[in-house]
Amino acid sequence: MPKILIVGGGYAGFYTAWKLEKTLRKGEAEVTIVDPLPYMTYQPFLPEVAAGSIEARHSVVSLRRHLKRTRILTGKITGIDHANRSATVTPDVGEPFTETYDQIVVTAGAVSRTFPIPGIADNAIGLKTIEEAVAIRDQLLDNFDKAAMLPAGPERDRLLTVVVVGGGFAGIEVFAELRSFASSLLGKYPNITFEDTHFHLIEAMGRIMPEVSLPTSEWVLKDLAKRGAHVHLDTQVKGAIDGNVELSTGETLPSDLIIWTAGVMANPTVVRGSDLPVEERGRIRTRADLRVGTDEEIVEGAWAAGDVSAVPDLSGGGVGGMCVPNAQHAVRQGKLLAKNITAVLRGEEPKEYFHKNLGAVAGLGLYNGVFQSGKIALKGFVAWLAHRGYHGLAMPTWERKFRVLWGWWNNLWLGRDIVSLSSVQNPRYVFEEFAARPRPAEPEKKGDADTEKAAAR
């Protein structure tokens, strides 16, 4: 029976395995998926998780629960030897081992792309994982609790200052959502005023949200300004040592919460550890039919999709002729990938991937959003409804959809939960503080030692 190995359980990987279970006949192939995490993260929900609008566990999809006929391996692929059709799996516990295959599907996704700016690696946090979104939410809540106990001054200002680096969709969404979240907290902290909170977004280009039209992005800027949020265009971060964000304009912003959303790159662990062809931007070179290779040469038995791959955009709308790294492409590529692999196993020809961008939709906090499709632009409450409607439907599996929709319904009447669980990172702190420990041995007295020596003589 042919073995299909899927590297990565994100959008593209999960959808490939999920659809393969539906297209493959029983016994037609054995499917294995390898990922260090046992779940797929629906990343468009991360800004709402950070703002407390969605329960963290509701925005992830369990691989073991929803992939009924797929073999799940929790570990990292640290090497791909396609010449010998084998891959090295490195689990968290135990020794690395070799997994053989007939067809490999590389869908390892992307990670945050940073630059060697002093202090960023030590003080900033990304927004690519559910753990990061939860940490951002908890830290903002903790900072409000700490600031409420301090008099006005530099330390209080630092705690109530949020800096987001990157003005793309992810940056704008988390920036606007956190601004909305912070405003909603003020009623619970009577000694903190709106003017005490400071939100800054840093963007190196002269505009934000290149996915939408210029008039739409300008509307977003005006809307953020009305809500007391500051956007610094044509500005770069020069340093963030000890949380002091130094800007190219000469300004310094002391902050206790620095969020980095300025770009992504293909998963370097998988790409560098494989013998598959790679293009100049570090992505796996992929054909329009999602097979690895070029128009002139096909790497038999190798497929790629999602953010880790360079797939030609046949619609003509992609940057540099390639599909941009977003969920819209990853989901659709994963679905087609399952059909194409099944077709090849049955001696049929695979189809080329073609998808014209449907538009872009972003949430800007509760009851506010923006939507762009061609020349059509929606703003405000209507766009916010479109945002929730689209992503509510796009969330895979009915079980997950129901949990997300039920959470939104509850929040509508009950409000967002504002409990911080940052202490979960150190769950034993109370137990350790009060746990009884053996008393240290008492030092031996000199007189007793002399007596023992005399007795020994």
Side-chain angles (χ1 to χ4, degrees), residues 27-42:
E28 192 172 6
E30 178 188 286
V31 181
T32 299
I33 190 168
V34 182
D35 195 284
L37 299 173
Y39 52 79
M40 183 212 88
T41 302
Y42 190 73

Side-chain angles (χ1 to χ4, degrees), residues 266-280:
N267 190 319
T269 302
V270 173
V271 172
R272 294 170 187 169
S274 81
D275 57 357
L276 299 173
V278 178
E279 46 94 70
E280 57 275 6

Side-chain angles (χ1 to χ4, degrees), residues 2 16 24-25 116 132 194 209 244 263 268 366 387 405 429 433:
T16 299
L24 290 172
R25 293 187 288 264
E132 289 173 325
F194 182 84
M209 303 174 77
N244 295 308
L366 278 182
H387 170 265
L405 293 173
Y429 75 100
E433 181 179 355

Side-chain angles (χ1 to χ4, degrees), residues 119-141:
I120 287 294
D122 299 319
N123 297 294
I125 186 171
L127 190 67
K128 289 292 292 179
T129 68
I130 192 66
E131 293 82 3
E132 289 173 325
V134 172
I136 289 169
R137 174 185 176 276
D138 286 345
Q139 187 169 342
L140 183 65
L141 290 167

Side-chain angles (χ1 to χ4, degrees), residues 207-219:
R207 60 163 296 181
I208 60 170
M209 303 174 77
E211 300 89 343
V212 303
S213 67
L214 185 58
T216 302
S217 69
E218 290 175 346
W219 178 87

Side-chain angles (χ1 to χ4, degrees), residues 426-448:
N426 182 25
R428 297 181 65 250
Y429 75 100
V430 173
F431 181 82
E432 289 179 328
E433 181 179 355
F434 298 103
R437 291 176 170 83
R439 291 184 179 181
E442 294 184 3
E444 194 177 65
K445 294 180 181 179
K446 185 177 180 181
D448 294 340

Side-chain angles (χ1 to χ4, degrees), residues 169-252:
F169 252 64
I172 289 295
E173 284 196 288
V174 73
F175 184 63
E177 289 284 357
L178 289 178
R179 173 68 273 183
S180 172
F181 187 32
S183 297
S184 71
L185 292 174
L186 296 176
K188 310 295 188 300
Y189 296 86
N191 57 338
I192 297 178
T193 67
F194 182 84
E195 290 71 23
D196 292 332
T197 60
H198 314 286
F199 281 74
H200 297 269
L201 184 136
I202 317 301
E203 171 52 48
M205 297 176 62
R207 60 163 296 181
I208 60 170
M209 303 174 77
E211 300 89 343
V212 303
S213 67
L214 185 58
T216 302
S217 69
E218 290 175 346
W219 178 87
V220 174
L221 285 174
K222 293 177 183 177
D223 182 72
L224 290 170
K226 284 191 296 185
R227 293 155 61 187
H230 305 280
V231 178
H232 305 256
L233 299 177
D234 295 313
T235 305
Q236 296 178 337
V237 175
K238 295 298 184 181
I241 297 175
D242 296 329
N244 295 308
V245 182
E246 300 175 16
L247 307 182
S248 56
T249 58
E251 188 177 1
T252 299

